[in-house]
C-alpha cells in the first residue's frame, strides 16, 4: 500500500517537479555564468600596472580608480512631466600596457558620478601641473564589473569624441598600435546583468533547487505519507497494522478519494493522504469556507468533511470535496460505517470534544447503545472560524 501511494504521489507531483526543473534550467542558462562569476568574486587589477588588456575581456574585475580623463557618453532617463536625469555616465580611463598607455571606457551608475567627476577634476590638476606643486587630493572610487566590447551606439560616441579631439581612425580600434580601445568596464554589471539582479536570481535558483530536491526526495522516500507511517508506527503491533492496511487497500473500492470499511478510513490523495482506524473515527462534520471579495461578495466556496480522531496529538483531518452534496453523502456513509462516531456540529459537541477526545468518544458510544436516553442537541454545520484543523 505505502509503495503504491508513493508511486501515485510521485506521478501527482510530477508536474511540479517538471516546472521546477525547467525553471532551474532556465535560470542556469540565462544567469548561471554571471552568478558563477559573482560567487567566485572579481579579479583585482591596478590600472597603473602593465596589463594585456585584451586578455581581460569577459572577466569580472575590481579596480581602485584614481585617474579619469573626461566623459564621452551618458545615459539619460526621460519621464513625461519630469526633468531628465542622468542614470549612467561613461568616462575615459587610462591603463598601462607593456608598450604604452592605452585608454578604455568606464561606465558608472548615477550614484558614483560625483566621485567620478571629482577624479576627473583631480586628474585635470595633475595634467595641468607645470611647477610640480600638484598633490593628489585622495579622490578615488572602487568599481566592480565586466570588461566587454562597446555596443555599436557607444562605439560611435567613443569614435566621435576622439575624432573631434583630432585623432585619426587608426588610433581607434582593437588592432595592434591602437591607443583608444572600444572596450568598456561597466560597474555593478556582470555579463550584461546587474549584480543586484544576479544576486536575486541566485537566491531564486537556490530556492528552486531546494524545492525541487525536496519534492523529489519526499516523493521517492514516501515523505508525503508521513501521517500514515506515523499512525502505523504508533500502533501496538506496527507490522500487523501495516499488513491489515495492505489488505484493506487491496480489497476496498475507492469512492472518489475515500476508502471506507468498518476497520479503516483512508483519504487517498497523494501528499494529503491520511488514515484512521475505524474505532478512532470520533467525530466528523461538513465544513465550508467562503472566500469573499472585499469582505462582502462570496466568490468561491471550499467544502470539506472534517474528521477528528483521538489517538493522534494532531487529530484533525480534511476530506476535500466538490460540493455540499458530496460532503453529505460521505457523512451518511460514515454514519452507517462508524456507528460510534458523532456526525454533525454544534458548540456543545466542540466543547466536549476539546475537553477530552477519548472520554467524548466513549460517551457517544455508550449513548448509542442506550436508545432510550435523551437525545443530544441537534448537530449543525459550524459557523466560520470554528474549530480549526491542524492535521495533514
Amino acid at each position: 500500500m505505502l509503495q503504491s501511494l508513493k508511486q501515485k504521489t510521485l506521478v501527482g507531483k510530477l508536474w511540479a517537479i517538471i516546472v521546477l526543473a525547467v525553471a532551474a534550467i532556465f535560470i542556469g542558462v540565462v544567469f548561471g555564468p554571471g552568478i558563477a562569476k559573482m560567487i567566485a568574486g572579481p579579479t583585482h587589477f591596478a590600472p597603473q600596472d602593465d596589463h594585456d588588456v585584451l586578455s581581460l575581456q569577459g572577466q569580472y574585475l575590481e579596480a581602485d580608480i584614481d585617474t579619469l580623463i573626461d566623459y564621452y557618453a551618458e545615459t539619460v532617463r526621460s519621464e513625461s512631466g519630469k526633468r531628465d536625469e542622468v542614470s549612467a555616465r561613461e568616462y575615459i580611463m587610462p591603463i598601462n600596457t607593456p608598450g604604452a598607455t592605452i585608454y578604455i571606457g568606464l561606465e558608472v551608475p548615477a550614484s558614483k558620478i560625483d566621485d567620478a567627476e571629482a577624479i576627473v577634476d583631480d586628474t585635470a590638476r595633475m595634467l595641468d601641473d607645470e611647477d610640480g606643486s600638484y598633490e593628489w587630493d585622495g579622490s578615488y572610487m572602487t568599481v566592480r564589473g565586466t570588461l566587454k566590447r562597446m555596443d555599436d551606439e557607444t562605439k560611435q560616441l567613443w569614435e566621435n569624441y576622439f575624432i573631434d579631439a583630432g585623432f585619426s581612425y587608426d588610433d581607434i580600434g582593437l588592432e595592434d598600435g591602437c591607443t583608444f580601445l572600444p572596450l568598456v568596464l561597466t560597474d555593478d554589471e556582470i555579463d550584461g546583468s546587474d549584480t543586484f539582479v544576479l544576486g536575486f536570481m541566485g537566491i531564486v535558483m537556490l530556492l528552486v533547487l531546494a524545492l525541487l530536491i525536496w519534492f523529489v526526495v519526499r516523493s521517492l522516500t514516501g515523505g508525503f505519507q508521513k501521517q500514515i507511517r506515523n499512525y502505523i508506527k504508533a500502533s501496538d503491533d506496527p507490522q500487523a497494522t501495516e499488513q491489515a492496511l495492505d489488505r484493506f487497500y487491496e480489497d476496498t473500492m475507492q469512492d472518489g478519494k475515500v476508502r471506507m470499511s468498518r476497520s479503516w478510513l483512508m483519504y487517498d490523495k497523494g501528499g494529503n493522504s491520511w488514515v484512521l482506524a475505524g474505532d478512532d473515527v470520533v467525530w466528523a462534520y461538513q465544513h465550508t469556507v467562503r472566500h469573499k471579495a472585499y469582505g462582502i461578495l462570496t466568490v468561491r466556496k471550499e467544502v470539506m468533511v472534517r474528521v477528528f480522531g483521538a489517538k493522534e496529538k494532531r487529530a484533525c483531518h480534511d476530506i476535500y470535496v466538490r460540493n455540499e452534496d458530496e460532503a453529505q453523502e460521505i457523512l451518511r456513509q460514515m454514519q452507517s460505517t462508524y456507528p460510534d462516531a458523532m456526525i454533525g456540529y454544534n458548540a456543545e459537541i466542540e466543547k466536549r470534544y476539546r475537553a477530552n477526545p477519548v472520554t467524548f468518544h466513549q460517551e457517544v458510544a455508550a449513548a448509542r447503545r442506550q436508545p432510550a436516553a435523551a437525545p443530544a442537541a441537534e448537530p449543525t454545520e459550524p459557523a466560520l472560524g470554528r474549530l480549526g484543523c491542524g492535521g495533514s
Side-chain angles (χ1 to χ4, degrees):
M1 177 198 69
L2 288 173
Q3 185 64 26
S4 177
L5 288 174
K6 184 167 65 175
Q7 292 174 352
K8 288 173 65 175
T9 300
L10 181 60
V11 172
K13 301 295 182 183
L14 193 59
W15 67 271
I17 292 173
I18 292 174
V19 169
L20 291 171
V22 170
I25 292 171
F26 174 80
I27 295 173
V29 170
V30 176
F31 300 100
I35 293 172
K37 287 181 181 180
M38 188 169 66
I39 293 175
T43 299
H44 185 81
F45 86 104
Q48 65 270 22
D49 295 340
D50 289 344
H51 296 280
D52 178 6
V53 179
L54 295 180
S55 69
L56 297 177
Q57 290 185 77
Q59 292 191 37
Y60 180 36
L61 304 174
E62 177 185 64
D64 293 328
I65 308 299
D66 60 8
T67 305
L68 293 174
I69 305 302
D70 194 3
Y71 78 88
Y72 62 92
E74 61 183 7
T75 303
V76 177
R77 183 188 296 113
S78 298
E79 295 184 26
S80 178
K82 294 184 178 181
R83 182 180 177 181
D84 292 349
E85 294 183 359
V86 177
S87 60
R89 186 171 285 175
E90 298 183 38
Y91 292 85
I92 303 166
M93 179 173 70
I95 294 181
N96 290 332
T97 68
T101 298
I102 58 91
Y103 298 86
I104 66 171
L106 171 67
E107 181 179 352
V108 299
S111 60
K112 290 186 177 180
I113 288 178
D114 287 345
D115 292 335
E117 290 297 325
I119 295 171
V120 170
D121 292 341
D122 181 72
T123 301
R125 287 195 299 273
M126 178 186 67
L127 295 175
D128 294 339
D129 180 39
E130 295 180 354
D131 57 8
S133 63
Y134 164 78
E135 291 184 5
W136 179 50
D137 66 3
S139 298
Y140 88 100
M141 64 181 172
T142 301
V143 297
R144 298 179 184 87
T146 305
L147 182 64
K148 62 183 180 181
R149 295 193 181 197
M150 296 177 179
D151 59 44
D152 291 340
E153 181 180 3
T154 303
K155 183 180 178 182
Q156 187 62 57
L157 295 171
W158 175 260
E159 291 177 350
N160 292 344
Y161 182 93
F162 292 108
I163 295 300
D164 291 344
F167 295 93
S168 70
Y169 282 104
D170 292 337
D171 296 314
I172 307 168
L174 295 175
E175 297 79 15
D176 290 338
C178 291
T179 302
F180 308 106
L181 307 186
L183 301 173
V184 59
L185 175 62
T186 305
D187 189 35
D188 285 338
E189 184 179 290
I190 302 176
D191 294 342
S193 297
D194 187 275
T195 52
F196 175 81
V197 173
L198 286 174
F200 175 77
M201 294 309 298
I203 294 173
V204 172
M205 187 172 186
L206 287 176
L207 293 175
V208 169
L209 288 174
L211 194 57
L212 176 61
I213 294 171
W214 181 80
F215 265 112
V216 172
V217 171
R218 278 183 65 86
S219 297
L220 292 176
T221 60
F224 286 108
Q225 289 77 49
K226 182 178 179 180
Q227 187 274 341
I228 298 177
R229 293 179 181 276
N230 288 343
Y231 200 84
I232 293 173
K233 185 178 179 180
S235 65
D236 295 334
D237 188 343
Q239 184 176 358
T241 299
E242 184 170 357
Q243 291 173 353
L245 271 172
D246 287 339
R247 291 192 297 270
F248 161 75
Y249 190 79
E250 293 172 1
D251 298 341
T252 307
M253 292 292 292
Q254 183 171 338
D255 184 5
K257 307 178 189 71
V258 180
R259 295 175 186 268
M260 200 179 302
S261 75
R262 182 63 189 91
S263 299
W264 299 99
L265 170 64
M266 173 181 285
Y267 180 52
D268 184 358
K269 191 190 177 190
N272 293 322
S273 299
W274 52 265
V275 67
L276 290 176
D279 59 6
D280 194 25
V281 179
V282 176
W283 176 30
Y285 61 84
Q286 175 187 318
H287 183 68
T288 303
V289 178
R290 293 174 174 85
H291 299 275
K292 296 185 177 183
Y294 308 108
I296 302 173
L297 179 65
T298 298
V299 295
R300 182 169 63 90
K301 287 201 308 183
E302 191 175 28
V303 184
M304 64 198 76
V305 173
R306 188 149 280 182
V307 184
F308 294 81
K311 294 180 181 179
E312 297 172 291
K313 184 177 181 180
R314 300 175 66 185
C316 173
H317 305 282
D318 287 331
I319 300 171
Y320 290 90
V321 295
R322 293 184 297 271
N323 50 49
E324 295 181 358
D325 290 342
E326 185 178 356
Q328 290 302 312
E329 177 58 31
I330 291 175
L331 289 171
R332 281 191 290 270
Q333 293 179 23
M334 292 178 65
Q335 181 72 85
S336 62
T337 306
Y338 313 110
D340 292 339
M342 172 63 74
I343 305 298
Y345 178 91
N346 63 37
E348 180 62 25
I349 293 174
E350 177 182 339
K351 180 180 178 180
R352 291 166 56 199
Y353 175 84
R354 281 193 178 279
N356 190 316
V358 175
T359 301
F360 170 77
H361 193 35
Q362 292 172 347
E363 290 174 351
V364 172
R368 295 283 165 80
R369 292 178 176 82
Q370 298 177 8
E378 184 68 21
T380 62
E381 180 185 343
L384 293 180
R386 296 286 187 174
L387 191 61
C389 185
S392 50

